[in-house]
Structure formats: structure tokens, C-alpha cells
């Protein structure tokens, strides 16, 4: 059966009015709740907004604004819409394979390894990296910080339960990423889903942090921010890159999503590629 | 090599963006269409070909048949004339003002990249300067998007299902978009070459 709702404005909706309404909504959200979506990439943001508008049975962006400003539960739902990036464990297996091959040897030389998953969402990447570090014998030395704008999503990541029907895909990804064991060793199948070993999180701290508005809070050897900044416009990407640059040790590593790039950002020359294809960069001293 | 930017003045008269959707059978159809485009084409093309995450090198296979610059889109990449942009596997492709953006939102009708997502955002950004092209495929992705392009004043081209490896996608589009030109595969590039501004080029309409 085909999915129903069209998550976008009817074609006759005046484009200029729509832009005004969206800007007003985002301004209202910022002033009232402190979440700043004003510098998000417009087209993908708009699509997510309309999905929520239609899910709520509302006629316009302005109607959504009215609800959001007066109903914090509405804001919670909207926040989930705008900030949750469900991904897959070992998404882009070639990235993890490259990380194993090129980044791990570098990290092996450090007595302690501090990693930051910036925008960790529901935690798939956190578990993937924990498994990888475990298999490479580096987990004990690792201190991992996983942050996200959204508390609800952080709780979900902490719980470590993922849909059972995803396990086959994740297993395939894991193997192609150079996984050394049997993926099923890392979880137990329960009624509510696949529960991943809590011990994988023993060196992980989850904390709320807003990439847009919050400052740097520590220095890291590795920052992973994959397929998070695609939702930001270019000026915001530059601001976040400034945050990352200031949060990395010299020769620290920055990992982006497979179709993201430092090119056209202000920080292109502040890094050299460790793996250009997999978007793993090393900060120049 | 920098291409010509899309500015208001240059886009005033020419179609600004051709957006193309294909699924099963798309590789061959895209090769035929792209090979017929002129090397000095002053329009840009964005393509969603349904692809699995482990897909073949679509970029190289298309680059083989044209001198236009063929590449997979990176996030925030600028839209320049004379280029053919491919949606990367497992991302949605959006059209912003003068550049593209990507997302990893949920698949739409089980597809990521989704043709509807590209087409709808193109219609929103370029309005009547958009041309949508639906090629061969096994589902109805692209139908809603093509309808939206036409509703925004843009133009529509559908591969004649009789020439399609799989008829379902163009058939579905044809039913919903009576204003579309229905053309045999090998006539599509010739039609695109003729498009100038908002004038309609004569062709067999879906509704006829």
C-alpha cells in the first residue's frame, strides 16, 4: 500500500508568503525556546516542516507557529522532526574500513583517545565506533562524548535498543567495514528490539549540546560529525567548523559524511586529507 | 572549470534546471539522453536514478558519453550550467537557490534518493524555469513531482512507455500530467536542446 500524505505545500501556495511564514516560525521558536533553526538549509527544512504540518492536520505554516508557541508538546514533536537523523550502524562501511586502516594506527600512539560524536542522534554511530575501538583493542583508552541537541533522543541512544529487522542490514555493513567478530555477539534479541551490550557504553558520556548555539567544551583527538551539517546552510556550517577546529588537538581528526566536503568552507586549508574519499581530515599544526 | 552561474538575468529566458528521474532501465536511458546533449549546453541537469548503496559507478558510465561535466553532488555544491549532477546513493537531493543540499531523511516511497523530492524542491526553487523528465522505471516515483513542476508553470517530458525498458514509471506520470510531452527516448535530448524560455515546443501531449 502506498504512503499517503504529500509532505510539502500545495503548488499554489505563494512562495514568498511561505518563506515569510517559515522565517517567522523559526524566529518565534528561537526567541521562545532557544532552538536556532534559522540557519538551516531551507529546502530540506521546509519539507520536514510540511510533514509536521500535515501530520497535525494544519493548513499553513502560520497555523503551526501558533501551535508551537503556545504548546510545548507541539514544540517537542517539532524538535524531533528537525533534529532526529536516523541512520544505520556502520553506515558507509567503507568509511569505517578506512578509519580502521588509516586513523586507528595514529590513535594507537596516544595514551588516551578522546572522541566526540557531534550530533549523535539515536546513537547508531556511537555503537559502531565503540565496537570498532573494542575490536582494535583501543576502547579502554578511549573517552567518548556523544552530544545532541535533543534530550529525548539522547535517552534513546543511551538505551541502546534498535529494531530487530535492521540487524541483517547492520550485519552486512559491519562485515564490509572490516568487522572481526560476529555482529550478533554485540546484542541480544528482545521483544522490544535488539538490545546492545551496555558495556559498549562504559566509556561513553551522553550530554546535551547545541552545535548552533553552544561553545566548545573540551579538546578532542577525533570529532565525528557525519551527515549532521548537511541540514545547515553554508554560513552555519562555517560557524560549526570554527567550533570543531577550536575543539581539536593539533593533528586531531575530523570525520564528515561521505558527500560532505571541506571545500568551499573557510577551513579547507586548515586540514589535510587523511582519506580524501572517505572525508577523514587531519588538522594541521 | 567554472561554469556559468545561474543569475536572474541569464535564467530569464532559458530553462534554468532540467530534473530527471529514472529507475529500472535507467542507465541505458540516461546514456541515450545525455549523449544527445550539446557539449556547450547552457542549462544544468540534475538526475535521480534509483540506486542501491552499492551501486555501480553511474558517474563514470555517463561521463563516457558526453563532454558535459558529470558528477555526483556533494552537499552545498553550486549549480552551474553545462553540468549533469547525479544524486548520490542513499541521500535525498534538494535544490536550494543556487546550490544543492542533501539529506538522509527517511526514504520516500521506499526510495532514497527520491525523484519526487528532487522534482518538488526544483519546482519550489525554479518555478516555471524547471523542466521535469520522467524515464523508465518500475514504480510511480516522480509522478507527484512532475505534477508539481507543471503546476508551478514548468514543463514536463515523459519517455514514451513504448520505448521504456519498464513502463510503470512513465505510464504513471502520463496519467497524472496530461500537459507533458511524451517522446520516444531518442527524441528527448533533441527536445531539450530546443527548449528556450517558457515557449512550448510542439510535441505529442500525454493528454491527447
Amino acid at each position: 500500500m502506498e504512503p499517503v500524505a504529500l509532505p510539502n505545500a500545495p503548488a499554489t501556495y505563494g512562495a514568498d508568503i511561505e518563506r515569510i511564514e517559515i522565517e517567522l516560525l523559526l524566529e518565534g521558536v528561537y526567541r521562545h525556546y532557544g532552538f536556532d533553526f534559522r540557519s538551516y538549509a531551507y529546502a530540506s527544512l521546509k519539507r520536514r516542516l510540511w510533514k509536521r504540518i500535515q501530520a497535525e492536520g494544519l493548513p499553513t505554516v502560520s497555523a503551526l507557529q501558533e501551535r508551537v508557541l503556545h504548546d510545548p508538546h507541539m514544540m517537542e514533536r517539532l524538535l524531533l522532526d528537525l533534529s532526529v537523523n536516523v541512520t544505520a550502524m556502520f553506515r558507509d562501511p567503507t568509511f569505517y574500513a578506512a578509519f580502521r586502516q588509516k586513523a586507528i594506527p595514529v590513535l594507537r600512539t596516544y595514551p588516551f583517545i578522546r572522541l566526540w560524536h557531534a550530533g549523535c542522534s539515536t546513537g547508531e554511530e556511537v555503537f559502531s565506533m565503540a565496537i570498532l575501538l573494542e575490536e582494535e583493542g583501543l576502547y579502554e583508552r578511549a573517552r567518548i562524548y556523544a552530544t545532541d541537541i535533543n534530550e529525548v533522543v539522547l535517552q534513546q541512544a543511551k538505551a541502546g535498543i534498535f529494531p530487530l529487522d535492521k540487524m541483517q542490514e547492520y550485519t552486512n555493513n559491519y562485515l564490509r567495514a572490516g568487522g572481526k567478530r560476529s555482529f550478533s555477539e554485540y546484542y541480544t534479541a528482545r521483544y522490544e528490539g535488539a538490545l546492545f551490550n551496555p558495556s559498549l557504553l562504559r566509556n561513553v558520556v551522553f550530554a546535551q549540546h547545541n552545535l548552533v548555539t553552544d561553545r566548545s567544551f573540551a579538546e578532542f583527538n577525533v570529532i565525528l560529525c557525519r551527515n549532521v551539517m548537511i541540514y545547515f546552510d553554508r554560513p552555519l556550517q562555517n560557524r560549526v567548523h570554527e567550533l570543531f577546529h577550536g575543539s581539536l588537538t593539533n593533528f586531531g581528526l575530523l570525520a564528515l559524511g561521505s558527500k560532505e566536503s571541506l571545500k568551499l568552507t573557510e577551513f579547507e586549508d586548515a586540514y589535510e586529507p587523511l582519506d580524501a574519499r572517505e572525508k577523514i581530515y587531519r588538522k594541521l599544526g | 572549470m567554472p561554469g556559468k552561474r545561474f543569475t536572474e538575468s541569464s535564467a530569464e529566458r532559458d530553462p534554468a534546471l532540467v530534473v530527471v528521474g529514472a529507475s529500472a532501465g535507467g542507465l541505458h536511458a540516461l546514456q541515450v539522453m545525455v549523449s544527445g546533449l550539446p557539449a556547450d549546453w547552457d542549462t544544468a541537469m540534475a538526475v535521480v536514478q534509483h540506486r542501491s548503496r552499492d551501486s555501480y559507478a553511474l558517474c563514470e558510465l555517463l561521463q563516457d558519453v558526453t563532454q558535459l561535466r558529470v558528477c555526483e553532488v556533494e552537499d552545498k555544491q553550486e549549480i552551474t550550467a553545462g553540468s549533469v549532477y547525479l544524486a548520490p546513493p542513499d541521500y535525498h537531493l534538494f535544490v536550494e537557490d543556487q546550490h544543492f543540499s542533501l539529506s538522509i531523511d527517511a526514504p520516500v516511497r521506499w526510495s532514497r534518493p527520491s525523484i519526487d523530492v528532487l522534482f518538488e524542491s526544483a519546482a519550489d526553487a525554479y518555478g516555471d524555469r524547471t523542466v521535469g523528465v520522467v524515464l523508465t522505471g518500475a514504480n510511480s516515483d516522480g509522478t507527484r513531482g512532475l505534477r508539481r513542476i507543471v503546476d508551478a508553470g514548468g514543463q514536463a517530458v515523459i519517455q514514451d512507455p513504448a520505448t521504456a525498458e519498464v513502463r510503470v514509471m512513465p505510464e504513471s506520470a502520463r496519467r497524472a500530467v496530461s500537459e507533458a510531452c511524451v517522446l520516444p527516448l531518442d527524441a528527448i535530448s533533441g527536445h531539450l536542446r530546443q527548449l528556450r524560455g517558457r515557449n512550448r515546443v510542439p510535441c505529442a501531449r500525454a493528454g491527447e
Side-chain angles (χ1 to χ4, degrees):
Chain A
M1 199 175 81
E2 304 251 304
V4 183
L6 176 68
N8 222 320
T12 50
Y13 203 93
D16 290 335
I17 296 174
E18 182 180 61
R19 190 175 274 268
I20 292 169
E21 286 185 277
I22 288 175
E23 287 180 15
L24 288 173
L25 166 69
L26 300 180
E27 184 68 28
V29 165
Y30 176 60
R31 289 206 209 167
H32 190 51
Y33 294 104
F35 295 112
D36 191 354
F37 296 105
R38 296 173 301 173
S39 209
Y40 270 45
Y42 186 72
S44 57
L45 172 77
K46 184 167 74 155
R47 195 173 177 97
R48 284 171 158 187
L49 286 176
W50 274 99
K51 204 166 172 186
R52 174 49 52 192
I53 291 166
Q54 278 163 340
E56 300 289 334
L58 297 169
T60 62
V61 175
S62 293
L64 179 67
Q65 177 189 311
E66 194 260 335
R67 292 283 179 92
V68 165
L69 291 179
H70 294 281
D71 178 3
H73 295 301
M74 182 71 250
M75 182 65 230
E76 276 167 20
R77 292 197 288 280
L78 183 62
L79 184 61
L80 283 174
D81 291 335
L82 298 182
S83 62
V84 175
N85 296 320
V86 175
T87 178
M89 287 207 193
F90 293 100
R91 178 188 157 115
D92 306 319
T94 51
F95 163 76
Y96 289 92
F99 193 91
R100 275 193 139 97
Q101 201 196 8
K102 299 195 180 165
I104 289 293
V106 174
L107 299 178
R108 226 180 263 293
T109 68
Y110 301 154
F112 282 104
I113 307 161
R114 295 163 62 85
L115 296 98
W116 179 20
H117 292 271
C120 67
S121 195
T122 39
E124 290 89 344
E125 184 186 80
V126 178
F127 279 95
S128 302
M129 197 50 73
I131 288 169
L132 193 156
L133 289 168
E134 186 85 78
E135 292 184 358
E136 296 299 326
L138 293 180
Y139 190 89
E140 288 312 317
R141 298 186 226 172
R143 299 294 179 266
I144 300 162
Y145 293 81
T147 65
D148 201 88
I149 191 180
N150 191 326
E151 274 292 357
V152 168
V153 150
L154 283 171
Q155 294 307 319
Q156 200 179 324
K158 237 186 260 194
I161 298 176
F162 296 90
L164 273 167
D165 61 8
K166 294 283 185 191
M167 289 305 118
Q168 179 164 352
E169 176 196 342
Y170 293 0
T171 303
N172 291 339
N173 288 350
Y174 163 81
L175 291 171
R176 289 175 51 213
K180 298 181 171 174
R181 306 214 191 117
S182 168
F183 191 63
S184 56
E185 279 178 38
Y186 294 108
Y187 65 90
T188 51
R190 301 266 267 253
Y191 174 72
E192 61 272 30
L195 171 64
F196 277 73
N197 297 342
S199 72
L200 286 168
L201 297 182
R202 65 191 183 280
N203 287 351
V204 179
V205 171
F206 288 95
Q208 206 223 357
H209 179 274
N210 188 329
L211 284 175
V212 179
T213 58
D214 295 348
R215 302 239 171 284
S216 177
F217 60 97
E219 226 182 30
F220 294 94
N221 305 110
V222 183
I223 297 178
L224 300 112
C225 190
R226 307 188 69 241
N227 297 321
V228 174
M229 288 197 282
I230 54 180
Y231 297 100
F232 301 170
D233 67 15
R234 191 87 65 65
L236 178 53
Q237 290 180 342
N238 275 320
R239 278 159 42 205
V240 177
H241 272 299
E242 184 168 359
L243 168 66
F244 288 161
H245 190 259
S247 303
L248 272 174
T249 58
N250 281 341
F251 309 113
L253 303 179
L254 175 65
L256 301 179
S258 62
K259 286 299 167 184
E260 298 181 88
S261 177
L262 279 177
K263 268 182 273 179
L264 306 174
T265 71
E266 288 157 13
F267 286 85
E268 184 178 6
D269 298 327
Y271 296 86
E272 60 178 0
L274 186 66
D275 188 316
R277 174 182 271 248
E278 299 301 336
K279 309 300 160 72
I280 304 173
Y281 301 95
R282 175 160 51 200
K283 176 175 167 179
L284 294 170
Chain B
M1 183 183 82
K4 195 171 73 176
R5 290 273 326 274
F6 281 141
T7 59
E8 274 305 316
S9 54
S10 71
E12 249 178 333
R13 285 170 292 116
D14 297 347
L17 186 62
V18 177
V19 287
V20 182
S23 186
L27 172 57
H28 169 73
L30 287 169
Q31 283 180 317
V32 169
M33 182 186 67
V34 169
S35 65
L37 297 171
D40 61 350
W41 205 37
D42 57 0
T43 300
M45 176 178 279
V47 176
V48 163
Q49 158 73 48
H50 287 161
R51 308 163 72 179
S52 74
R53 260 158 288 170
D54 326 305
S55 70
Y56 46 77
L58 179 62
C59 185
E60 278 102 68
L61 291 167
L62 288 181
Q63 187 69 83
D64 280 347
V65 304
T66 181
Q67 285 177 14
L68 297 168
R69 192 175 71 118
V70 182
C71 58
E72 254 181 31
V73 174
E74 288 198 322
D75 181 53
K76 306 300 177 305
Q77 186 161 2
E78 283 203 330
I79 303 174
T80 57
S83 293
V84 177
Y85 298 96
L86 307 179
D90 218 16
Y91 285 90
H92 288 301
L93 178 62
F94 285 88
V95 177
E96 303 279 353
D97 189 16
Q98 304 277 1
H99 60 272
F100 294 105
S101 64
L102 300 176
S103 101
I104 57 166
D105 284 353
V108 175
R109 294 165 172 269
W110 307 282
S111 299
R112 184 170 65 195
S114 152
I115 301 169
D116 281 336
V117 168
L118 172 65
F119 281 20
E120 284 160 9
S121 74
D124 288 348
Y126 284 90
D128 62 2
R129 294 177 294 130
T130 317
V131 179
V133 181
V134 170
L135 303 177
T136 170
N139 59 41
S140 60
D141 192 12
T143 294
R144 272 209 294 244
L146 197 67
R147 178 74 254 157
R148 192 180 177 86
I149 288 173
V150 171
D151 289 344
Q155 302 184 48
V157 174
I158 299 172
Q159 178 181 5
D160 185 340
T163 68
E165 191 169 315
V166 184
R167 307 175 61 110
V168 175
M169 191 174 283
E171 287 277 17
S172 168
R174 190 166 71 172
R175 278 195 298 274
V177 188
S178 60
E179 303 91 327
C181 292
V182 177
L183 298 169
L185 177 60
D186 55 15
I188 292 177
S189 59
H191 182 83
L192 293 176
R193 291 167 83 131
Q194 287 182 70
L195 287 175
R196 278 291 174 270
R198 298 159 180 96
N199 293 334
R200 268 38 182 175
V201 175
C203 65
R205 302 276 163 186
E208 286 153 17

